[in-house]
Amino acid sequence: MIGLPFVYAVGGAIFLAYAAMSATDATKPKRWGNAAFYALLATSFWFGDLLGDSGNGLLVLGLVLVAGLKQMGRGARATTSADERREEAARRGNRLFLPALIIPAVALVGTLAFKRLPEWFDVKQVTLVALTMGVLLALAACLAWLRDRPLVPLAEGTRLMDSVGWAAVLPQMLASLGAVFALAGVGEVVGGLAEGVIPDGSRFGAVAFYALGMAGFTMIMGNAFAAFPVMFAGVGMPVLVGIWSGDPVRVAAIGMLAGFCGTLMTPMAANFNLVPAALLELKDQNAVIKAQVPTAIPLLIANVLLIYFLAFP
Amino acid sequence: MWVLLGIAVIVAGFVLRFNPLLVVAASALVTGLAAGLDPLEVLAAFGKAFNDARYVSVAFIVLPVIGLLERHGLQERARTAIAALKGATVGRLLIGYLFLRQATSALGLTSIAGAAQTVRPLVAPMAEAAAEKQGAPPGEDKVPALAAATDNVGLFFGEDIFVAIGSILLMVGVLQGFGIEAEPLQLALWAIPTAICAFAIHAVRLWLFDRRLAKMAPPAKGDGA
C-alpha cells in the first residue's frame, strides 16, 4: 500500500540531493553547515522510525546546533541570467506553465481517484502521495522537454532551499514543543490563571478572553493546534460551556478559527509567514505578516462577535 | 506556575533575536525541567514528536521543479501573460486566487497550491506585472507579500470547512476528552460564517489596494473601467 513511507522515501532522497549539492558547491561559504543540515533532514525522512525517540531527539539537537551556531548560508552556483530567461520565456511561450500545472493537477486528480482505491493507497494520506507523484511526473516531463542534465533541477532546488534555510524546520520544532508543553501540564496552569482574570458576570468578557487568548497563544506557539487544547480546556469548556451554556461544537469550531487569526500575525508560524518571504526574496522578512495584520485584526473581531451571537443558542 | 517559564523563554528569545530553533529547544528544556522531568525524558518526547510531524516538511520536494522552470523563464512568462491581459489588476487577480484557494481548500485540496508551488512561480510575478501596469513602482515587497498573504488567508479559512483536515480531527479528539461526541461535519459547518467574513474582509482590502493604485497613477491606456 502506498502511503507516507513512499512520501518520506522521496523526501529523503531530495534532501540528500540538497546535501550533496551543498557539499560540492565551492562558491558556498558555509557549505558544510548546509550539507550537514540537509543530511540530518534526509536521515530523519529515511530512518526516523528506526532511530527511536532519543535518537530523533539527538538528531534535532544536531539541527539546532548547525542553525544556532549560524553555520548556514546561501550558495552562489551559476544559474541563467535575467536576459536569458526573458529570451527563453518569449521563445517557449505559455507552454512553460504546463509542467508547473502538472503538480496541482496530479494532486487534485490523485486525491479524488486514490480514495477509491483503498487497497492500493493509504486513504488518509492520498493528498501527500498524489503531491509527491505530481512532483516526480513534473520533473520527468521537464527533463524530457527542456533537456537539462538531471543534476540541474537539483542544483536549482538547492538554490531555493538555501533561501529558506533553517526556517524550514521551525514548524516541526514548534509541534514538538507543543508535545513537551502537554507533558508538562502547561494547559492546566493557563486555564487556572484564566478563571481568575475574566470579570464575573460578563459573557462578552469571557468570549473575548477566549478568542483573544486563542489568538495570543497561537502567536507565541506559532500554531493554533498547540493553542486550542490549552484555551478550550482552560476557558472554552469551563466558562463558555460550563457557566454560560454555550454550544461546545460552535465554541470549539469558531475558537479554532480565532486561533488561525493569530497564525497570520506571528513570525513563529514560519512556514506560512517567514518561508514565503524567503522564497519570494523579500527585503523585509516580516513583509508577509505586515500584509496580513489588516485582515487578521478585523477577522479576529468578527470571530469574537460570531462566538458571542452564534454559540449561545 | 513554573512551567510557564517556557513561554517566557520564547518571548525573551524572540525579543533578543536569538535563532528561533535554539529558542524553541531552550523553551522545551526549561518547561520540562520545571515540570520535574529529567533532560533525557524531554529529549525523547521532543524527538518522538519531531518524527511524527515530518509530513510538515514534505512541501520542500517541489523546489527542484520550480527552480528548473524558473531557470527557463517561468516567472518572466507569467509576467508577460498578465501584462497582455486587458483589465487585469492586482486586486482582481488576487481576489480570483483567494476564491480558488478557499474553494479548493474547502474540498480538502490544501496541498495543490502554496508559497512554493504557486505563489513564487506564478501568482506573485503575475501580481507584480499587474501592479506595474497600474503604475506601482517595481521591486517593492508590498505586492508579492500581498500575494503570499492571500494564499494564507485562502488556505486557513477554507480548509476548516473540509471535514478530514487536521484541525477538525484535533477538535473532535479534544471534545471527546470532555465526553462530547461531535461529528466532523458539524464542526466544519460552523467554520462557514468565519470563511465568509475572511473572504469579505480580504477581498475588500484587495479592492481598496486597486483604488489606491488608481489614485497614485494615471489610468493605463485603453483601460475604460
Side-chain angles (χ1 to χ4, degrees):
Chain A
M1 197 166 71
I2 304 175
L4 279 182
F6 163 70
V7 174
Y8 290 157
V10 174
I14 289 183
F15 271 103
L16 190 64
Y18 294 155
M21 297 310 291
S22 296
T24 54
D25 184 355
T27 62
K28 196 181 275 190
K30 295 180 172 174
R31 58 174 156 156
W32 296 116
N34 287 40
F37 195 84
Y38 301 144
L40 282 170
L41 280 173
T43 309
S44 163
F45 271 109
W46 273 357
F47 305 115
D49 293 329
L50 304 174
L51 289 175
D53 296 345
S54 303
N56 278 302
L58 287 176
L59 190 149
V60 175
L61 279 189
L63 293 170
V64 171
L65 274 183
V66 174
L69 297 175
K70 300 193 192 316
Q71 292 305 306
M72 295 185 77
R74 293 172 72 157
R77 221 184 263 272
T79 178
T80 46
S81 72
D83 281 338
E84 284 169 322
R85 289 180 181 198
R86 260 193 298 277
E87 184 274 321
E88 200 169 340
R91 186 157 49 84
R92 295 198 188 266
N94 287 335
R95 282 174 302 168
L96 269 171
F97 293 133
L98 292 176
L101 293 174
I102 288 177
I103 299 174
V106 173
L108 171 62
V109 173
T111 302
L112 301 176
F114 296 170
K115 276 203 181 123
R116 295 165 188 274
L117 301 166
E119 64 274 22
W120 285 23
F121 295 97
D122 182 350
V123 179
K124 275 179 286 184
Q125 306 297 347
V126 281
T127 306
L128 279 180
V129 170
L131 174 75
T132 307
M133 289 182 167
V135 168
L136 295 178
L137 269 175
L139 204 53
C142 284
L143 287 174
W145 179 40
L146 301 166
R147 308 213 167 266
D148 285 297
R149 284 177 305 124
L151 280 183
V152 173
L154 299 177
E156 296 288 337
T158 307
R159 185 168 55 79
L160 297 186
M161 194 66 225
D162 283 348
S163 62
V164 178
W166 56 261
V169 296
L170 184 54
Q172 230 180 309
M173 291 284 292
L174 284 163
S176 316
L177 179 62
V180 174
F181 271 29
L183 201 65
V186 173
E188 288 83 351
V189 177
V190 170
L193 282 180
E195 280 178 70
V197 175
I198 300 168
D200 273 347
S202 167
R203 191 173 94 187
F204 188 79
V207 168
F209 187 94
Y210 169 70
L212 301 182
M214 193 77 81
F217 206 66
T218 299
M219 289 175 72
I220 291 172
M221 294 296 292
N223 191 330
F225 286 25
F228 180 80
V230 173
M231 289 307 294
F232 189 75
V235 188
M237 217 36 216
V239 183
L240 296 189
V241 177
I243 298 176
W244 296 104
S245 319
D247 175 66
V249 168
R250 301 179 199 182
V251 168
I254 308 174
M256 176 69 93
L257 295 167
F260 284 9
C261 295
T263 315
L264 293 173
M265 297 190 282
T266 176
M268 298 307 273
N271 51 340
F272 299 115
N273 297 336
L274 299 187
V275 168
L279 280 175
L280 295 170
E281 291 164 50
L282 304 183
K283 293 177 275 296
D284 177 3
Q285 70 159 0
N286 291 318
V288 176
I289 297 171
K290 286 176 187 160
Q292 285 169 172
V293 168
T295 296
I297 290 176
L299 190 56
L300 183 54
I301 296 170
N303 277 318
V304 171
L305 296 175
L306 286 173
I307 298 174
Y308 186 72
F309 287 112
L310 296 179
F312 303 93
Chain B
M1 277 306 272
W2 290 112
V3 296
L4 296 184
L5 271 181
I7 296 175
V9 168
I10 291 195
V11 175
F14 195 76
V15 171
L16 297 174
R17 293 176 162 272
F18 283 113
N19 179 283
L21 298 192
L22 213 56
V23 174
V24 171
S27 171
L29 184 67
V30 167
T31 305
L33 292 180
L37 302 171
D38 77 69
L40 287 178
E41 281 180 286
V42 180
L43 188 75
F46 205 93
K48 179 182 174 3
F50 188 82
N51 193 50
D52 289 343
R54 275 175 295 172
Y55 63 92
V56 174
S57 304
V58 165
F60 296 108
I61 64 173
V62 306
L63 295 182
V65 176
I66 301 304
L68 184 64
L69 286 170
E70 284 186 1
R71 179 191 180 89
H72 293 279
L74 179 65
Q75 289 192 349
E76 286 69 16
R77 186 61 217 169
R79 286 202 183 92
T80 321
I82 281 296
L85 208 65
K86 262 199 182 146
T89 66
V90 182
R92 286 176 199 164
L93 176 79
L94 290 184
I95 290 172
Y97 183 68
L98 176 66
F99 180 79
L100 271 179
R101 186 74 164 123
Q102 240 184 330
T104 49
S105 299
L107 297 174
L109 305 167
T110 50
S111 303
I112 67 165
Q117 297 101 304
T118 49
V119 178
R120 175 177 164 124
L122 299 171
V123 183
M126 286 179 168
E128 281 180 304
E132 278 170 41
K133 236 171 61 161
Q134 288 166 274
E140 285 187 3
D141 283 353
K142 188 125 199 168
V143 173
L146 208 50
T150 302
D151 185 74
N152 280 338
V153 172
L155 169 67
F156 290 6
F157 302 99
E159 66 170 7
D160 243 37
I161 300 175
F162 182 61
V163 290
I165 206 76
S167 54
I168 297 273
L169 301 177
L170 173 71
M171 286 190 275
V172 170
V174 170
L175 284 165
Q176 238 164 23
F178 289 101
I180 299 163
E181 291 299 325
E183 284 290 323
L185 193 61
Q186 287 177 294
L187 286 157
L189 213 60
W190 288 101
I192 293 175
T194 304
I196 293 170
C197 291
F199 183 83
I201 291 168
H202 199 70
V204 166
R205 280 192 58 215
L206 292 169
W207 178 72
L208 288 174
F209 189 75
D210 268 355
R211 295 226 327 188
R212 223 173 312 142
L213 285 184
K215 256 182 222 159
M216 263 169 45
K221 55 181 165 39
D223 191 12

